[in-house]
Amino acid sequence: MIIHTINGISGESTLLIGERLENVMAYVPEGASVLFITDNTVWQLYRNRFPTDDVIRIGTGESVKTLVTAELLYQELLNRGADRSTFIVGVGGGIVCDIVGFVSSTYMRGLRFGFVSTTLLAQVDASVGGKNGVNFKGYKNMVGVFNQPDFVICDIDLLKTLPNREVLSGFSEMIKTAVIADETLFDYMEKSVDRAVELDRAVLEKLVSASVLIKSRVVNQDEKESGERRKLNFGHTLGHAVEKTTGMLHGEAVSIGMAVALTVSSQHEGLPEKSAGRIIALLRRFDLPVQVNGDLNPVLVAMEKDKKKTGSDIYFVFLKEIGQAVVRKIPMDKLIPLIRHAMTTPV
Ligand SMILES: NC(=O)c1ccc[n+]([C@@H]2O[C@H](COP(=O)([O-])OP(=O)(O)OC[C@H]3O[C@@H](n4cnc5c(N)ncnc54)[C@H](O)[C@@H]3O)[C@@H](O)[C@H]2O)c1
Ligand SMILES: [Zn+2]
């Protein structure tokens, strides 16, 4: 097991990589009454590993990440007499973690909470950084709070039941973390692809640990997303649009977004083609898509609606070299032609 303590502006959080769901009670504050929240799929697969049978369950999928579900959970907490001494544990992927973090942070002005992350994406991304929230009127993560869980357990064993596409989608986010901030992690990923996709425990612990450390380093420099943290959006401007228009998984869409951003970076920011080629090759080795099939227009239209745009300007993340990203504010009407050109002339 690898343990890290993350000190963020909104609190301290302990990450336990390689710890198991069945040991979760060891990390709950002494004397607190505990309530577990999970989703139906995780419950079906792992109910035997929960320390109790009394677990609140929600449905699965992005469509449940709403205020309606939050309200149902507030009601459940009320029914069960939850108060400020109650500790909430969310067990699941990014959806469970996002809702549980939000509900815990707002019910009675905030209860303490922890996560057991059960998807690779949640382990490397959703569990670090203190962002919690729900979607609103079709806009992703529109309503939420910054607040750190007391702990996050990344149980590597649980990843074995995760559909392969979901696993690969998590690796996409890990590649992103490496390319924006840490060449060493990138090199290690290149060397360990085969063992990584087989979910080799030692390799996974190392990879998850390295990515959460890098993400938390970036986040700690800038917890409220004004400068440094924007680098984590590498591949996401277009990625979100691809996700919305094609229904691909988040990491798959981000992989395409990264591939396009790499081409734009080669064409306009001096990213050596060799480096861009290495990154594309790694995405491919993880079986991740690197281009959109079919009509580009709906993707570009969706991109213009992206919530991250400020007026007509957008913060776009370019890559200068593996491990070195740069954020530039660029008018949307200048960015669209660059992206259109990049999508038709990939490196
Ligand atoms: N807060 C953040 O910083 C942050 C960062 C990245 C992503 N997110 C959010 O995370 C969400 C996506 O997270 P996700 O990809 O984990 O999706 P998810 O939570 O929907 O999980 C994917 C699917 O896998 C199932 N599942 C979970 N664990 C499993 C296991 N061990 N075995 C088998 N099946 C399992 C789930 O029931 C679900 O059907 C998005 O809503 C996104 O906005 C948040
Ligand atoms: Zn992402």
Side-chain angles (χ1 to χ4, degrees), residues 39-42 45-46 60-62 65 92-98 118-122 125-133 135 140-141 158-163 166 169 173 215 229 243 250:
D39 73 29
N40 289 325
T41 304
V42 174
L45 289 164
Y46 294 112
T60 56
E62 200 63 45
K65 206 174 105 173
I95 304 257
V96 168
C97 294
D98 274 8
T118 65
T119 67
L120 188 57
L121 186 81
D125 200 354
S127 62
V128 198
K131 282 187 181 181
N132 311 280
N135 305 328
K140 260 184 80 100
N141 306 323
L158 304 186
L159 301 179
K160 289 191 183 121
T161 49
L162 199 61
E166 299 277 357
S169 179
E173 208 73 60
K215 179 168 178 190
R229 189 168 186 157
E243 189 177 355
H250 179 71

Side-chain angles (χ1 to χ4, degrees), residues 9 27 113 147 149 159 182 341:
I9 298 165
Y27 303 96
F113 63 102
N147 197 13
L159 301 179
D182 194 292
H341 180 63

Side-chain angles (χ1 to χ4, degrees), residues 253-310:
V254 167
S255 175
I256 291 175
M258 285 194 279
V260 174
L262 290 171
T263 305
V264 177
S265 300
S266 287
Q267 291 168 347
H268 301 278
E269 286 286 344
L271 170 71
E273 281 198 13
K274 187 164 172 253
S275 302
R278 264 178 84 193
I279 300 166
I280 304 266
L282 187 62
L283 292 168
R284 286 190 201 275
R285 285 185 70 197
F286 278 100
D287 265 338
L288 288 159
V290 291
Q291 60 199 67
V292 178
N293 296 321
D295 189 5
L296 300 183
N297 284 321
V299 177
L300 295 174
V301 170
M303 199 185 82
E304 280 186 279
K305 284 191 178 166
D306 192 284
K307 72 178 164 69
K308 294 259 165 13
K309 72 175 181 173
T310 316

